[in-house]
Amino acid sequence: MLELQNVSKTFNPNTVNQKVALNGVSLTLKDGDFVTVIGGNGAGKSTMLNAVAGVFPIESGRILIDKTDVTSLPEYKRAIYISRVFQDPMMGTAASMGIDENLALALRRGKRRGLRWGITAKERAQYKELLATLDLGLEQRLTTKVGLLSGGQRQALTLLMATLKKPKLLLLDEHTAALDPKTAVKVLEMTEDIVRRNNLTTLMITHNMKDAIAHGNRLIMMYEGRIVIDIAGEDKKKLTVEKLLDLFSKVSGSDEADDKLLLS
Amino acid sequence: MILGLNILELFAQLPGAVAQGLIWGIMAIGVYITFRILDIADLTVDGSFCTGGAVCVMLIVNGYDLFTALMVSFIVGMLTGLVTGLFHTFFGISAILAGILTQLGLWSVNLAIMGKPNQALNVNNYNLLVSLRYLQEVIKGTRPFYWSPILVVGVFVAFLIAILYWFFGTELGSSIRATGNNQNMSRALGINTKFNKVLGLMLSNGIVALSGALLSQYQGFADINMGRGAIVIGLAAVIIGEVLFARLFRNFSLRLLGVVIGAIIYYIVIQTVLWLKLNPNYLKLLSAVVVSVFLAIPHWKGKLFTARRKGGSDRA
């Protein structure tokens, strides 16, 4: 499904701020894999997701989606395959456009946008039904500007937008980190539900080890721009936070990172 | 007679102010597209406004019909927007600087088009769409009312707003609005934000050039300085329209109408200030002060109410 072959990325090369963010990352995802990604700050989690999404060009390596080489495709063209939910709830929606208009934009992800009317009456009815499933009362506020919604509501809407047109790959970049704990739990439940129901291939970054263990069928941990732990299947089911920390200090050769991981 | 001022004199000036305001209102719609929809302050307009006037006058003087002259003005205006758009997206120059560069270059282009700094367009020799002369004759009663520039430009504006309402409701138009709103989201949803910015800049400058073409007919000449400070007048119209009609006009087409009314109000105010015998040299200073104060109001409001309104990110 998704294949990263020896992907490297350095920010600010040849300057004092040089930072190797990805150091030869290779990763292969099977169809329907739900992979959680953990790691400390600066481990390269977001960089990896952004490299897949095409936010910036990579220096070396290749990225394939469904055997199609997308390495040189610009971000907006990769949207044909990929949908995303960002950490910042403000980033995934257009604030001064209505809920229905945002959904209509998402429904046309990766399609040519021409001079047909931007939103149809039939769609609106469909959006109402879908919004009702979120149980946030948004179906009553179809034309409300998204800027008037709370962070949690916006993030739930973004999640709905990301899966409105089924993507080949769903990228979630700490999409619950900016929410209050209660809302975060709810959005995570929704995520699990949507991913399972549509059998979406998913990469989900999280700061929360418990969440990373509880969700998905595979877990990877990143450290200094590399994937250092990769656990799937039965091993993953038996995983605990203690075991994971233990594993991590063995791999990284230090335990100072424990605190960093736990605290962050 | 109070203080030597004759109120009738002011009233006599009003139809002219309304006609001019309407023409500049078209220009302000162009500014609205970049400033409000695309979230770009595009300074190309100071140049493209004059380009529109210059192209229109030269074509009419050289025997082309009115429709051709207006269409070509529009297209050439779009090309100026294309240049700014490519400076911005392809060359990676900041939007403001890209606009300034195009504007500067257009000074020479406009001179080249006209061959000299000022080209007259005598209303006696050509059929024009609008003219100050027509306005005067309609008021005197020597010309039927439907020649009134206020009516003609009014209909023109109505058509323009209808077309723009349709366009920004289409898939493509919606994606342009999304681009101005949130570029990250737009790209994530497969929208080519660079293309959309260029398209928006082209559309905006095409409309601005059209407005310049109408003004040059109305005043009977095109002048190399006719676009100087146009961006400020456009912004003034946008802001006056928004401040006065924010609660009343929520629909997109009504907002555009608000911008046009804003331009009319601007010209009535200017006319009134002139009537008060203010030295015309201070007009631009006055405009600059008024616009900066109105631009500051939302900022100050935001500081006053600590609960910050959350908008789309990436407003840089």
Side-chain angles (χ1 to χ4, degrees), chain B residues 229-305:
Chain B
I231 180 73
V232 179
I233 298 174
L235 286 178
V238 168
I239 294 161
I240 294 170
E242 282 180 348
V243 169
L244 293 183
F245 305 110
R247 285 179 199 287
L248 211 61
F249 292 172
R250 295 206 181 270
N251 180 289
F252 180 70
S253 53
L254 288 177
R255 281 190 195 182
L256 292 183
L257 181 65
V259 169
V260 176
I261 298 175
I264 295 173
I265 292 172
Y266 178 85
Y267 268 90
I268 291 177
V269 170
I270 294 289
Q271 214 48 262
T272 310
V273 171
L274 286 176
W275 172 74
L276 289 169
K277 305 250 168 16
L278 180 90
N279 183 344
N281 284 344
Y282 294 130
L283 275 183
K284 288 214 194 296
L285 178 64
L286 183 75
S287 306
V289 171
V290 169
V291 169
S292 41
V293 168
F294 273 102
L295 280 174
I297 287 173
H299 177 67
W300 288 337
K301 258 190 186 167
K303 278 198 160 171
L304 224 64
F305 303 107

Side-chain angles (χ1 to χ4, degrees), chain A residues 170-194:
Chain A
L170 176 63
L171 302 178
L172 307 168
D173 188 355
E174 292 193 51
H175 67 305
T176 59
L179 307 175
D180 64 86
K182 216 173 133 191
T183 317
V185 169
K186 196 162 178 208
V187 170
L188 205 57
E189 274 171 14
M190 271 175 48
T191 309
E192 177 80 33
D193 182 52
I194 288 178

